[in-house]
C-alpha cells in the first residue's frame, strides 16, 4: 500500500531538467523573443515618451539640475497655441497636407496607367521611384541649387520664353516659397505611393475587368467600381502615412531654407526652440500636441475612408455571409 501511495505522489519539479526538455526550450525561446522586443520598446520608446510628457509641465534647460526645474503646469501647452511662431508653424502644415493630397492623386493616376501593359512601363516605374531612394538631406541640397536665382529652374523657364526679371524668388518670396518646398516633398514621395498602388492594383482579379467590359463599362467606371474598392486598404494606408508625414515635415525646409522667410515648419520651429533657445519644456509640449493631432487625424481619416468605401464594405460582408452559408 505504501509503495502504491508513493507512486501516486507528484515528483518534485526539476527546473533544470524542464529547461533542457523540448517543451521547456520552446517556452523559453518564445518568452525570450517576446521579452527582448518589449524591453527594447519600453526602454527606447515608452520611457522616453513618459519623460517627454513630464518635461512639458516644467520650465527647464538642458543640463539644469532637477531641483531647479520650475513647474509651470499647462503654460507650455497654452504657449503652443498663443505664440506666433508655434501656432504659425502649425498652420504652415496645411501647405504640406494639400501637397500630400495632390501627391496621392498623382500617384494613383500613374499607378492605374502603369498597372497595365504600357511600352516602357518598367522604365518609368523605376524612374519615378528613384527619388525615394535618395537621402532627404541630398534632395534638400539638390533643390536648394535648383531653386537658386538664375540657376537650373530659372534657366529652364528662360528657355521657354520667360524673362529672369519677371520670375519670382522661389525661396524668398513668401507667396510661393512654401509651395516650392511642398513640390520637393511631392517629387520625393509620390514614387513610393505609386509603387504601393501598383502592387495593389495588379492583385485585382482580371476576370472582373472582363466582366465589366462585357457590361459596357468604360475605363473610368472600372476604376471607380472595381479598382478603387479593391485597393481601399492600401488607399487608406497611404492617406494616413501621407497626412501624418505632412504634419511632421522637416528635411526640405530645414536643409533648403533653414526655416527662413516664413518656411519654418512645426518640426523646424520645435528644433529651434529646443536646441537654440533651450526651452525644453515648451518643445516637449509641442511634441505632445503634434502627437495628439496625428492621433486625431488618423482616426478622422479612418472614419472618412470607411464612410467613402461603405458600399464596398457592405458588398464584402454579403459575399462573406454567402460563403459561410455555402
Amino acid at each position: 500500500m505504501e509503495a502504491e501511495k508513493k507512486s501516486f505522489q507528484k515528483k518534485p519539479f526539476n527546473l533544470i531538467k524542464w529547461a533542457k526538455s523540448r517543451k521547456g526550450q520552446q517556452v523559453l525561446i518564445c518568452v525570450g523573443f517576446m521579452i527582448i522586443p518589449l524591453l527594447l520598446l519600453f526602454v527606447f520608446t515608452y520611457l522616453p515618451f513618459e519623460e517627454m510628457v513630464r518635461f512639458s509641465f516644467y520650465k527647464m534647460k538642458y543640463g539644469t539640475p532637477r531641483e531647479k526645474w520650475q513647474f509651470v503646469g499647462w503654460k507650455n501647452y497654452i504657449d503652443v497655441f498663443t505664440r506666433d511662431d508655434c501656432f504659425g508653424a502649425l498652420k504652415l502644415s496645411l501647405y504640406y497636407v494639400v501637397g500630400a493630397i495632390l501627391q496621392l492623386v498623382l500617384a494613383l493616376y500613374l499607378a492605374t496607367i502603369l498597372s497595365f501593359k504600357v511600352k516602357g512601363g518598367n522604365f518609368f516605374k523605376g524612374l519615378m521611384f528613384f527619388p525615394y531612394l535618395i537621402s532627404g538631406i541630398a534632395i534638400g541640397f539638390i533643390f536648394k541649387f535648383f531653386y537658386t536665382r538664375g540657376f537650373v529652374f530659372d534657366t529652364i523657364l528662360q528657355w521657354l520664353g520667360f524673362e529672369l526679371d519677371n520670375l519670382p524668388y522661389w525661396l524668398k518670396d513668401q507667396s510661393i516659397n512654401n509651395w516650392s518646398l511642398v513640390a520637393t516633398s511631392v517629387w520625393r514621395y509620390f514614387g513610393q505611393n505609386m509603387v504601393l498602388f501598383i502592387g495593389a492594383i495588379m492583385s485585382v482579379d482580371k476576370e472582373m475587368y472582363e466582366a465589366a467590359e462585357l457590361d459596357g463599362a468604360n475605363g473610368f467606371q472600372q476604376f471607380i467600381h472595381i479598382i478603387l474598392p479593391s485597393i481601399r486598404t492600401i488607399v487608406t494606408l497611404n492617406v494616413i502615412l501621407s497626412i501624418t508625414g505632412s504634419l511632421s515635415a522637416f528635411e526640405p525646409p530645414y536643409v533648403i531654407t533653414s526655416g527662413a522667410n516664413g518656411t519654418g515648419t512645426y518640426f523646424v520651429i520645435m528644433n529651434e526652440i529646443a536646441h537654440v533657445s533651450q526651452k525644453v519644456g515648451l518643445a516637449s509640449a509641442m511634441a505632445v500636441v503634434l502627437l495628439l493631432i496625428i492621433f486625431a487625424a488618423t482616426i478622422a481619416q479612418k472614419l472618412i475612408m470607411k464612410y467613402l468605401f461603405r458600399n464596398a464594405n457592405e458588398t464584402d460582408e454579403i459575399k462573406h455571409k454567402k460563403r459561410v452559408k455555402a
Side-chain angles (χ1 to χ4, degrees), residues 77-96:
Y77 289 93
I78 295 172
D79 287 345
V80 173
F81 295 98
T82 55
R83 285 179 51 137
D84 293 336
D85 54 352
C86 296
F87 192 66
L90 195 60
K91 291 191 295 184
L92 196 62
S93 300
L94 294 176
Y95 284 96
Y96 292 87

PDB file of all heavy atoms in Angstrom, residues 77-96:
ATOM      1  N   TYR A  77       1.637  74.332 -22.860  1.00  0.00           N
ATOM      2  CA  TYR A  77       0.616  73.945 -23.845  1.00  0.00           C
ATOM      3  C   TYR A  77      -0.169  75.165 -24.325  1.00  0.00           C
ATOM      4  O   TYR A  77      -0.532  75.243 -25.505  1.00  0.00           O
ATOM      5  CB  TYR A  77      -0.327  72.906 -23.231  1.00  0.00           C
ATOM      6  CG  TYR A  77       0.326  71.563 -23.036  1.00  0.00           C
ATOM      7  CD1 TYR A  77       0.927  71.226 -21.828  1.00  0.00           C
ATOM      8  CD2 TYR A  77       0.358  70.627 -24.069  1.00  0.00           C
ATOM      9  CE1 TYR A  77       1.532  69.995 -21.641  1.00  0.00           C
ATOM     10  CE2 TYR A  77       0.960  69.383 -23.900  1.00  0.00           C
ATOM     11  CZ  TYR A  77       1.549  69.081 -22.684  1.00  0.00           C
ATOM     12  OH  TYR A  77       2.154  67.866 -22.523  1.00  0.00           O
ATOM     13  N   ILE A  78      -0.406  76.094 -23.432  1.00  0.00           N
ATOM     14  CA  ILE A  78      -1.088  77.333 -23.835  1.00  0.00           C
ATOM     15  C   ILE A  78      -0.209  78.135 -24.790  1.00  0.00           C
ATOM     16  O   ILE A  78      -0.689  78.703 -25.783  1.00  0.00           O
ATOM     17  CB  ILE A  78      -1.453  78.168 -22.589  1.00  0.00           C
ATOM     18  CG1 ILE A  78      -2.476  77.410 -21.730  1.00  0.00           C
ATOM     19  CG2 ILE A  78      -2.013  79.529 -22.989  1.00  0.00           C
ATOM     20  CD1 ILE A  78      -2.758  78.056 -20.388  1.00  0.00           C
ATOM     21  N   ASP A  79       1.088  78.152 -24.521  1.00  0.00           N
ATOM     22  CA  ASP A  79       2.023  78.885 -25.381  1.00  0.00           C
ATOM     23  C   ASP A  79       2.071  78.314 -26.792  1.00  0.00           C
ATOM     24  O   ASP A  79       2.311  79.054 -27.761  1.00  0.00           O
ATOM     25  CB  ASP A  79       3.429  78.876 -24.765  1.00  0.00           C
ATOM     26  CG  ASP A  79       3.538  79.777 -23.547  1.00  0.00           C
ATOM     27  OD1 ASP A  79       2.635  80.615 -23.345  1.00  0.00           O
ATOM     28  OD2 ASP A  79       4.519  79.631 -22.782  1.00  0.00           O
ATOM     29  N   VAL A  80       1.873  77.008 -26.916  1.00  0.00           N
ATOM     30  CA  VAL A  80       1.896  76.390 -28.246  1.00  0.00           C
ATOM     31  C   VAL A  80       0.847  77.015 -29.153  1.00  0.00           C
ATOM     32  O   VAL A  80       1.072  77.209 -30.355  1.00  0.00           O
ATOM     33  CB  VAL A  80       1.677  74.857 -28.123  1.00  0.00           C
ATOM     34  CG1 VAL A  80       1.519  74.233 -29.513  1.00  0.00           C
ATOM     35  CG2 VAL A  80       2.847  74.209 -27.403  1.00  0.00           C
ATOM     36  N   PHE A  81      -0.313  77.367 -28.587  1.00  0.00           N
ATOM     37  CA  PHE A  81      -1.417  77.900 -29.388  1.00  0.00           C
ATOM     38  C   PHE A  81      -1.499  79.428 -29.344  1.00  0.00           C
ATOM     39  O   PHE A  81      -2.316  80.015 -30.063  1.00  0.00           O
ATOM     40  CB  PHE A  81      -2.743  77.310 -28.895  1.00  0.00           C
ATOM     41  CG  PHE A  81      -2.852  75.830 -29.098  1.00  0.00           C
ATOM     42  CD1 PHE A  81      -2.573  74.953 -28.066  1.00  0.00           C
ATOM     43  CD2 PHE A  81      -3.205  75.306 -30.333  1.00  0.00           C
ATOM     44  CE1 PHE A  81      -2.671  73.580 -28.258  1.00  0.00           C
ATOM     45  CE2 PHE A  81      -3.305  73.945 -30.532  1.00  0.00           C
ATOM     46  CZ  PHE A  81      -3.027  73.074 -29.494  1.00  0.00           C
ATOM     47  N   THR A  82      -0.680  80.063 -28.524  1.00  0.00           N
ATOM     48  CA  THR A  82      -0.730  81.531 -28.440  1.00  0.00           C
ATOM     49  C   THR A  82       0.509  82.209 -29.027  1.00  0.00           C
ATOM     50  O   THR A  82       0.429  83.353 -29.472  1.00  0.00           O
ATOM     51  CB  THR A  82      -0.899  81.979 -26.977  1.00  0.00           C
ATOM     52  OG1 THR A  82       0.141  81.411 -26.170  1.00  0.00           O
ATOM     53  CG2 THR A  82      -2.250  81.530 -26.430  1.00  0.00           C
ATOM     54  N   ARG A  83       1.642  81.513 -29.048  1.00  0.00           N
ATOM     55  CA  ARG A  83       2.852  82.094 -29.645  1.00  0.00           C
ATOM     56  C   ARG A  83       2.731  82.086 -31.162  1.00  0.00           C
ATOM     57  O   ARG A  83       2.303  81.097 -31.762  1.00  0.00           O
ATOM     58  CB  ARG A  83       4.091  81.297 -29.226  1.00  0.00           C
ATOM     59  CG  ARG A  83       4.531  81.555 -27.797  1.00  0.00           C
ATOM     60  CD  ARG A  83       5.742  80.734 -27.438  1.00  0.00           C
ATOM     61  NE  ARG A  83       6.827  80.864 -28.397  1.00  0.00           N
ATOM     62  CZ  ARG A  83       8.105  81.008 -28.077  1.00  0.00           C
ATOM     63  NH1 ARG A  83       8.463  81.087 -26.800  1.00  0.00           N
ATOM     64  NH2 ARG A  83       9.027  81.070 -29.014  1.00  0.00           N
ATOM     65  N   ASP A  84       3.116  83.186 -31.783  1.00  0.00           N
ATOM     66  CA  ASP A  84       3.001  83.303 -33.236  1.00  0.00           C
ATOM     67  C   ASP A  84       3.867  82.292 -33.971  1.00  0.00           C
ATOM     68  O   ASP A  84       3.460  81.743 -34.998  1.00  0.00           O
ATOM     69  CB  ASP A  84       3.368  84.724 -33.680  1.00  0.00           C
ATOM     70  CG  ASP A  84       2.359  85.753 -33.204  1.00  0.00           C
ATOM     71  OD1 ASP A  84       1.200  85.375 -32.961  1.00  0.00           O
ATOM     72  OD2 ASP A  84       2.734  86.936 -33.075  1.00  0.00           O
ATOM     73  N   ASP A  85       5.076  82.039 -33.463  1.00  0.00           N
ATOM     74  CA  ASP A  85       5.971  81.121 -34.171  1.00  0.00           C
ATOM     75  C   ASP A  85       5.467  79.683 -34.084  1.00  0.00           C
ATOM     76  O   ASP A  85       5.497  78.950 -35.080  1.00  0.00           O
ATOM     77  CB  ASP A  85       7.396  81.227 -33.627  1.00  0.00           C
ATOM     78  CG  ASP A  85       7.457  81.035 -32.122  1.00  0.00           C
ATOM     79  OD1 ASP A  85       6.399  80.971 -31.472  1.00  0.00           O
ATOM     80  OD2 ASP A  85       8.589  80.950 -31.586  1.00  0.00           O
ATOM     81  N   CYS A  86       4.957  79.264 -32.933  1.00  0.00           N
ATOM     82  CA  CYS A  86       4.490  77.887 -32.764  1.00  0.00           C
ATOM     83  C   CYS A  86       3.203  77.632 -33.548  1.00  0.00           C
ATOM     84  O   CYS A  86       3.124  76.696 -34.355  1.00  0.00           O
ATOM     85  CB  CYS A  86       4.267  77.572 -31.292  1.00  0.00           C
ATOM     86  SG  CYS A  86       5.764  77.635 -30.282  1.00  0.00           S
ATOM     87  N   PHE A  87       2.205  78.483 -33.324  1.00  0.00           N
ATOM     88  CA  PHE A  87       0.915  78.269 -33.987  1.00  0.00           C
ATOM     89  C   PHE A  87       1.016  78.558 -35.483  1.00  0.00           C
ATOM     90  O   PHE A  87       0.352  77.903 -36.299  1.00  0.00           O
ATOM     91  CB  PHE A  87      -0.151  79.149 -33.344  1.00  0.00           C
ATOM     92  CG  PHE A  87      -1.545  78.796 -33.766  1.00  0.00           C
ATOM     93  CD1 PHE A  87      -2.098  77.577 -33.424  1.00  0.00           C
ATOM     94  CD2 PHE A  87      -2.302  79.677 -34.522  1.00  0.00           C
ATOM     95  CE1 PHE A  87      -3.386  77.246 -33.819  1.00  0.00           C
ATOM     96  CE2 PHE A  87      -3.594  79.359 -34.920  1.00  0.00           C
ATOM     97  CZ  PHE A  87      -4.138  78.137 -34.562  1.00  0.00           C
ATOM     98  N   GLY A  88       1.846  79.540 -35.854  1.00  0.00           N
ATOM     99  CA  GLY A  88       2.048  79.805 -37.279  1.00  0.00           C
ATOM    100  C   GLY A  88       2.665  78.622 -38.001  1.00  0.00           C
ATOM    101  O   GLY A  88       2.292  78.315 -39.138  1.00  0.00           O
ATOM    102  N   ALA A  89       3.610  77.950 -37.340  1.00  0.00           N
ATOM    103  CA  ALA A  89       4.221  76.757 -37.934  1.00  0.00           C
ATOM    104  C   ALA A  89       3.218  75.625 -38.055  1.00  0.00           C
ATOM    105  O   ALA A  89       3.261  74.836 -39.006  1.00  0.00           O
ATOM    106  CB  ALA A  89       5.415  76.319 -37.081  1.00  0.00           C
ATOM    107  N   LEU A  90       2.306  75.558 -37.090  1.00  0.00           N
ATOM    108  CA  LEU A  90       1.265  74.529 -37.146  1.00  0.00           C
ATOM    109  C   LEU A  90       0.340  74.767 -38.334  1.00  0.00           C
ATOM    110  O   LEU A  90      -0.037  73.828 -39.039  1.00  0.00           O
ATOM    111  CB  LEU A  90       0.476  74.531 -35.834  1.00  0.00           C
ATOM    112  CG  LEU A  90      -0.412  73.315 -35.552  1.00  0.00           C
ATOM    113  CD1 LEU A  90       0.418  72.045 -35.508  1.00  0.00           C
ATOM    114  CD2 LEU A  90      -1.152  73.506 -34.238  1.00  0.00           C
ATOM    115  N   LYS A  91      -0.024  76.029 -38.577  1.00  0.00           N
ATOM    116  CA  LYS A  91      -0.866  76.348 -39.738  1.00  0.00           C
ATOM    117  C   LYS A  91      -0.121  76.098 -41.045  1.00  0.00           C
ATOM    118  O   LYS A  91      -0.736  75.783 -42.069  1.00  0.00           O
ATOM    119  CB  LYS A  91      -1.311  77.809 -39.651  1.00  0.00           C
ATOM    120  CG  LYS A  91      -2.288  78.106 -38.523  1.00  0.00           C
ATOM    121  CD  LYS A  91      -2.890  79.499 -38.644  1.00  0.00           C
ATOM    122  CE  LYS A  91      -1.841  80.570 -38.475  1.00  0.00           C
ATOM    123  NZ  LYS A  91      -2.440  81.937 -38.498  1.00  0.00           N
ATOM    124  N   LEU A  92       1.204  76.236 -41.011  1.00  0.00           N
ATOM    125  CA  LEU A  92       2.009  76.018 -42.211  1.00  0.00           C
ATOM    126  C   LEU A  92       1.922  74.572 -42.697  1.00  0.00           C
ATOM    127  O   LEU A  92       2.141  74.286 -43.878  1.00  0.00           O
ATOM    128  CB  LEU A  92       3.467  76.375 -41.918  1.00  0.00           C
ATOM    129  CG  LEU A  92       4.398  76.588 -43.110  1.00  0.00           C
ATOM    130  CD1 LEU A  92       3.928  77.754 -43.953  1.00  0.00           C
ATOM    131  CD2 LEU A  92       5.816  76.825 -42.617  1.00  0.00           C
ATOM    132  N   SER A  93       1.579  73.659 -41.791  1.00  0.00           N
ATOM    133  CA  SER A  93       1.446  72.251 -42.164  1.00  0.00           C
ATOM    134  C   SER A  93       0.343  72.034 -43.192  1.00  0.00           C
ATOM    135  O   SER A  93       0.340  71.016 -43.896  1.00  0.00           O
ATOM    136  CB  SER A  93       1.172  71.397 -40.922  1.00  0.00           C
ATOM    137  OG  SER A  93       2.217  71.506 -39.987  1.00  0.00           O
ATOM    138  N   LEU A  94      -0.599  72.968 -43.280  1.00  0.00           N
ATOM    139  CA  LEU A  94      -1.689  72.830 -44.246  1.00  0.00           C
ATOM    140  C   LEU A  94      -1.163  72.824 -45.682  1.00  0.00           C
ATOM    141  O   LEU A  94      -1.735  72.175 -46.555  1.00  0.00           O
ATOM    142  CB  LEU A  94      -2.698  73.967 -44.061  1.00  0.00           C
ATOM    143  CG  LEU A  94      -3.470  73.974 -42.732  1.00  0.00           C
ATOM    144  CD1 LEU A  94      -4.351  75.202 -42.638  1.00  0.00           C
ATOM    145  CD2 LEU A  94      -4.300  72.705 -42.579  1.00  0.00           C
ATOM    146  N   TYR A  95      -0.069  73.549 -45.936  1.00  0.00           N
ATOM    147  CA  TYR A  95       0.555  73.508 -47.260  1.00  0.00           C
ATOM    148  C   TYR A  95       0.948  72.073 -47.611  1.00  0.00           C
ATOM    149  O   TYR A  95       0.698  71.599 -48.731  1.00  0.00           O
ATOM    150  CB  TYR A  95       1.807  74.390 -47.301  1.00  0.00           C
ATOM    151  CG  TYR A  95       1.548  75.872 -47.384  1.00  0.00           C
ATOM    152  CD1 TYR A  95       1.534  76.665 -46.240  1.00  0.00           C
ATOM    153  CD2 TYR A  95       1.334  76.491 -48.613  1.00  0.00           C
ATOM    154  CE1 TYR A  95       1.309  78.035 -46.316  1.00  0.00           C
ATOM    155  CE2 TYR A  95       1.118  77.858 -48.702  1.00  0.00           C
ATOM    156  CZ  TYR A  95       1.099  78.621 -47.543  1.00  0.00           C
ATOM    157  OH  TYR A  95       0.877  79.970 -47.627  1.00  0.00           O
ATOM    158  N   TYR A  96       1.566  71.407 -46.656  1.00  0.00           N
ATOM    159  CA  TYR A  96       2.051  70.052 -46.903  1.00  0.00           C
ATOM    160  C   TYR A  96       0.905  69.044 -46.948  1.00  0.00           C
ATOM    161  O   TYR A  96       1.013  68.012 -47.623  1.00  0.00           O
ATOM    162  CB  TYR A  96       3.069  69.663 -45.831  1.00  0.00           C
ATOM    163  CG  TYR A  96       4.346  70.459 -45.933  1.00  0.00           C
ATOM    164  CD1 TYR A  96       4.478  71.691 -45.311  1.00  0.00           C
ATOM    165  CD2 TYR A  96       5.423  69.984 -46.678  1.00  0.00           C
ATOM    166  CE1 TYR A  96       5.644  72.437 -45.421  1.00  0.00           C
ATOM    167  CE2 TYR A  96       6.597  70.721 -46.800  1.00  0.00           C
ATOM    168  CZ  TYR A  96       6.690  71.947 -46.166  1.00  0.00           C
ATOM    169  OH  TYR A  96       7.850  72.684 -46.290  1.00  0.00           O
TER     170      TYR A  96
END
